[in-house]
Amino acid sequence: MRKVTIDPITRLEGHGKIEIFLNDDGDVANAYLQIPELRGFEKFCEGRPVEEVPRIVPRICGV
Amino acid sequence: MAKLKLGLYWAASCGGCDVAVLDVNEKILDVAEMADIVFWPIALDFKYHHVEAMPDKDIDICLFNGAVRSSEQESIAKLLRAKSKTMVAFGSCACFGGIPALANFATRADIMERAYIEAPSNDNPDKVLPQIKTQVAEGELELPELYDTVLTLAQVVDVEYFVPGCPPPVPLILKVVEAIATNNLPPPGAVIASDKTLCDECDRKKEEKKISKIYRPHEIDPDPERCLLEQGILCMGPATRGGCGALCINVNMPCRGCFGPPAGVIDQGAKMVSAVASIYQANGEEDIAQMVRDIVDPAGTFYRFGLSDSMLKRKRLQRR
């Protein structure tokens, strides 16, 4: 099966790639959206004072 | 003169640095006049293979934002370094690790566990975690390796210039653009900001640096005219490079250090510990212990934007 990779996905905020599998007829058999990015806000906001969180989480997305 | 070739990239970042470039408004047209943008994922549809196909040193200037915390980000940093004459660490994440570097207080395993298993919004009964290689019916899928430690750009490749800020403010970006346009760049290694501390450009009234209590925001109504630190509010001004125009201070918010350490300071957090220790009027050991308790999150406050670049670098990893 042939694989077409679109990497990176552009013109959006965030990281992504798409992997498309083509069957023998050249039709799309399946496609996967992959997110090759994790920063870990879920973890590193723990332990921060609550009043500081509004200054940390805007950096999830600055667009 | 031939047009310059400009590349922009984001690694572990939020996109705010890219938007800051657009915040120069109509001046972006001057940039377009003097430079062709050859790579900029947020705005233009160039792929990695386009960059790979470029001759070495083909890009004149690469503005790289974001920290480096995965194998993909490291390999793109190396690729762009090879293809660029001048590499600029653009923004606090590329310069010092930034907010993503707070992840260095945890491990990759902690982060995966929290993000994909524990977090209440998850629906993942089989506890599936992202894998570098995954077999699916049609073939194999690949993801980059997430590193245990978040790195700065300069910890991965050689960097000519550093433009700090979360994000870099427009006047500084214009300074960079102008320096590029007039071929008037400073000597390599330069940080394009002030060499002095933020306190130096802060207009607040400073009287005597003596405090006897550290306050959290809900415990005090700060005088908008007076130095925040002198009122007992932790402000990173003495340990932070100037050049931002005191943006946070001017809206009554204490500095959190996004411009990194001032010239000559290796460790921003240690500098801040020393600043607090030197102004605290302690009356015996219990008083000192109380002050330490009043600083709720010293590491996360003093190293808010700079953990990767600090002497601490990260939480100690357990030996396996």
Side-chain angles (χ1 to χ4, degrees):
Chain A
M1 213 172 263
R2 204 159 80 84
K3 183 163 83 168
V4 179
T5 302
I6 300 172
D7 192 18
I9 307 175
T10 56
R11 294 159 293 175
L12 53 69
E13 197 289 310
H15 295 62
K17 73 170 169 177
I18 299 174
E19 301 196 281
I20 305 164
F21 291 93
L22 304 179
N23 63 22
D24 296 342
D25 300 331
D27 294 330
V28 174
N30 211 343
Y32 293 86
L33 169 65
Q34 304 251 82
I35 311 296
E37 164 75 359
L38 173 68
R39 283 166 298 162
F41 280 83
E42 298 90 336
K43 187 68 198 172
F44 66 63
C45 285
E46 291 177 351
R48 309 281 85 84
V50 68
E51 67 268 24
E52 294 292 328
V53 175
R55 303 185 78 179
I56 296 173
V57 295
R59 276 79 182 194
I60 292 173
C61 175
V63 178
Chain B
M1 198 180 94
K3 266 189 164 186
L4 292 170
K5 288 183 184 169
L6 187 63
L8 297 97
Y9 186 67
W10 55 8
S13 67
C14 69
C17 287
D18 293 280
V19 172
V21 173
L22 296 172
D23 281 344
V24 303
N25 294 328
E26 73 281 359
K27 297 266 187 192
I28 194 79
L29 298 173
D30 297 349
V31 177
E33 187 112 324
M34 69 181 190
D36 283 327
I37 298 172
V38 296
F39 185 56
W40 193 7
I42 199 173
L44 301 168
D45 191 27
F46 294 108
K47 304 298 184 197
Y48 294 143
H49 66 83
H50 293 115
V51 182
E52 283 156 8
M54 293 174 188
D56 279 359
K57 307 286 170 204
D58 195 44
I59 300 172
D60 291 288
I61 297 189
C62 178
L63 302 180
F64 189 107
N65 72 70
V68 177
R69 63 119 61 260
S70 77
S71 55
E72 175 185 67
Q73 290 156 357
E74 179 170 5
S75 67
I76 302 296
K78 287 180 172 163
L79 175 67
L80 286 167
R81 172 68 276 187
K83 304 297 181 189
S84 307
K85 294 189 187 81
T86 301
M87 182 63 110
V88 180
F90 190 82
S92 304
C93 297
C95 290
F96 322 114
I99 291 287
L102 288 172
N104 284 359
F105 288 127
T107 65
R108 169 177 49 201
D110 296 338
I111 292 166
M112 290 278 193
E113 173 86 13
R114 180 69 199 159
Y116 293 108
I117 297 171
E118 289 175 4
S121 55
N122 281 326
D123 179 11
N124 185 8
D126 298 330
K127 302 189 176 177
V128 178
L129 294 178
Q131 302 295 321
I132 295 170
K133 288 184 191 298
T134 306
Q135 291 301 324
V136 292
E138 299 81 12
E140 191 174 74
L141 300 176
E142 271 183 77
L143 278 176
E145 179 194 353
L146 189 78
Y147 292 159
D148 243 327
T149 301
V150 179
L151 303 167
T152 71
L153 181 60
Q155 286 166 349
V156 176
V157 297
D158 289 335
V159 171
E160 273 83 16
Y161 303 110
F162 299 85
V163 183
C166 187
V170 167
L172 271 194
I173 299 174
L174 289 176
K175 207 169 142 180
V176 175
V177 171
E178 204 180 282
I180 296 169
T182 56
N183 198 17
N184 213 359
L185 284 159
V191 179
I192 307 199
S194 168
D195 280 340
K196 296 181 178 165
T197 65
L198 173 62
C199 294
D200 201 67
E201 66 188 45
C202 169
D203 288 335
R204 282 173 182 257
K205 222 183 309 160
K206 298 166 191 87
E207 286 153 351
E208 202 177 6
K209 285 239 172 337
K210 272 187 184 173
I211 55 172
S212 49
K213 177 165 169 52
I214 286 166
Y215 294 96
R216 294 175 73 175
H218 63 280
E219 296 171 327
I220 187 170
D221 188 9
D223 178 340
E225 308 289 322
R226 281 184 63 212
C227 168
L228 291 166
L229 192 56
E230 287 179 10
Q231 298 180 67
I233 297 161
L234 285 174
C235 174
M236 290 284 287
T240 301
R241 186 183 287 270
C244 61
L247 294 171
C248 296
I249 310 287
N250 290 341
V251 292
N252 230 6
M253 292 295 278
C255 172
R256 283 294 169 263
C258 77
F259 263 55
V265 173
I266 298 169
D267 191 294
Q268 188 178 20
K271 173 78 180 169
M272 192 60 203
V273 170
S274 134
V276 173
S278 66
I279 62 170
Y280 193 74
Q281 302 301 300
N283 194 8
E285 276 186 30
E286 178 44 37
D287 230 19
I288 295 172
Q290 185 57 48
M291 178 203 70
V292 171
R293 283 194 294 272
D294 286 344
I295 303 176
V296 186
D297 175 30
T301 305
F302 300 160
Y303 295 96
R304 174 67 52 80
F305 288 89
L307 190 55
S308 291
D309 189 49
S310 70
M311 291 164 81
L312 293 184
K313 294 224 164 36
R314 61 158 301 114
K315 172 189 167 185
R316 200 161 45 158
L317 289 169
Q318 298 278 323
R319 285 219 185 102
R320 302 221 168 92

